[in-house]
Structures are given as structure tokens and as C-alpha cells.
């Protein structure tokens, strides 16, 4: 069952300007060390990488049903990538608490995230799914 859906569109040039103006202060307030290493390691796409992660955090907060309020911090949501390149959303702190609260008993929450960019835009979609735990009505065995 779908628990929440969120999307966001970020302007890469706007993120680039914020990075130029606020640099490390902005990066450290919004992005985890892992996210920063990923972005800074992409010499030709630093701002686009940050913009996609910004959009993912916004989309995740919307899927959680709160937006960026009610105690959710930017770094409570973080994007990493599998070896295949597939993005994965991790939640901690208040975002993890909210996710647990919205997940029905007998289910586990799975966060799906997809990212894309086409200069000057970066976009993210987040879908939060509740899957039955094995033995909790899961007909797959």
C-alpha cells in the first residue's frame, strides 16, 4: 500500500548560486558528509548533484506528510547510491520517527526515490510503500 508520495523540482542554477554565496555553511546544514563527497566528486556536475539531493529531501518530506516542518531536519533525510547507481533514501531522527508512526502494524516501510536532471532543472519523486511483513498476510510465503 502507498503511504505517501512527494515530488520536487529544483533549479540547478539557484543551488549553484547558494553554494557560491554560502558554501560550506550551506553544505553542512543541508547535506550529510556522504552526500557532500558524492557531489564534490562529480567535477562537472557538482551543483546538479546537490540540486537532485535537495529535491529528494523536499520530496521525501512531502511524502512523509509534513514538508520541512514539525521537527524534520534536512540531514534527517539522506540520499546514497547503490553500486548500480540507483538512489536510496535513508531517514533518521524525526523523519524516521514519522515514518514509523505512519507505517501500519505488521508492515515495513520502503522508500522509493528517483532523481533526474536536465539543466537547469533537477527533479525527484519519492514514494513510501508499506509492505506486509512475512507471516503477516503476505501471500508470497
Amino acid at each position: 500500500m502507498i503511504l505517501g508520495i512527494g515530488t520536487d523540482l529544483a533549479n540547478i542554477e539557484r543551488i549553484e548560486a547558494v553554494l557560491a554565496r554560502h558554501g560550506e555553511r550551506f553544505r553542512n546544514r543541508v547535506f550529510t558528509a556522504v552526500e557532500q563527497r558524492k557531489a564534490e566528486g562529480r567535477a562537472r556536475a557538482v551543483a546538479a548533484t546537490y540540486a537532485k539531493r535537495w529535491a529528494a529531501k523536499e520530496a521525501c518530506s512531502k511524502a512523509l506528510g509534513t514538508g520541512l516542518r514539525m521537527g524534520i531536519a534536512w540531514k534527517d533525510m539522506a540520499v546514497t547510491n547503490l553500486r548500480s547507481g540507483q538512489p536510496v533514501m535513508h531517514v533518521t531522527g524525526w523523519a524516521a520517527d514519522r515514518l514509523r508512526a505512519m507505517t501500519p502494524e505488521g508492515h515495513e516501510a520502503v522508500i522509493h526515490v528517483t532523481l533526474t536532471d536536465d539543466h537547469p532543472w533537477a527533479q525527484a519523486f519519492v514514494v513510501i510503500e508499506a509492505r506486509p511483513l512475512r507471516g503477516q498476510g503476505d501471500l508470497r510465503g
Side-chain angles (χ1 to χ4, degrees), residues 12-44:
I12 295 167
E13 293 170 352
R14 178 175 162 255
I15 297 296
E16 190 170 41
V18 172
L19 286 165
R21 189 171 42 247
H22 299 289
E24 189 174 333
R25 193 173 98 217
F26 170 68
R27 287 191 305 270
N28 290 336
R29 184 174 64 88
V30 176
F31 302 101
T32 65
V34 171
E35 289 173 310
Q36 289 181 47
R37 279 193 300 277
K38 174 75 172 181
E40 298 299 327
R42 302 203 57 216
R44 297 178 56 181

Side-chain angles (χ1 to χ4, degrees), residues 73-136:
W74 285 103
K75 293 200 290 190
D76 284 350
M77 300 163 288
V79 178
T80 61
N81 295 85
L82 299 178
R83 285 183 174 261
S84 65
Q86 176 184 345
V88 178
M89 178 64 71
H90 306 274
V91 293
T92 58
W94 201 94
D97 293 344
R98 172 69 181 149
L99 183 62
R100 275 190 296 279
M102 64 190 286
T103 304
E105 188 174 328
H107 291 74
E108 66 176 339
V110 179
I111 302 174
H112 304 275
V113 61
T114 186
L115 309 173
T116 191
D117 67 284
D118 186 7
H119 194 84
W121 301 107
Q123 187 172 32
F125 286 96
V126 170
V127 175
I128 302 175
E129 171 190 12
R131 288 187 187 160
L133 295 170
R134 291 216 177 267
Q136 301 285 321

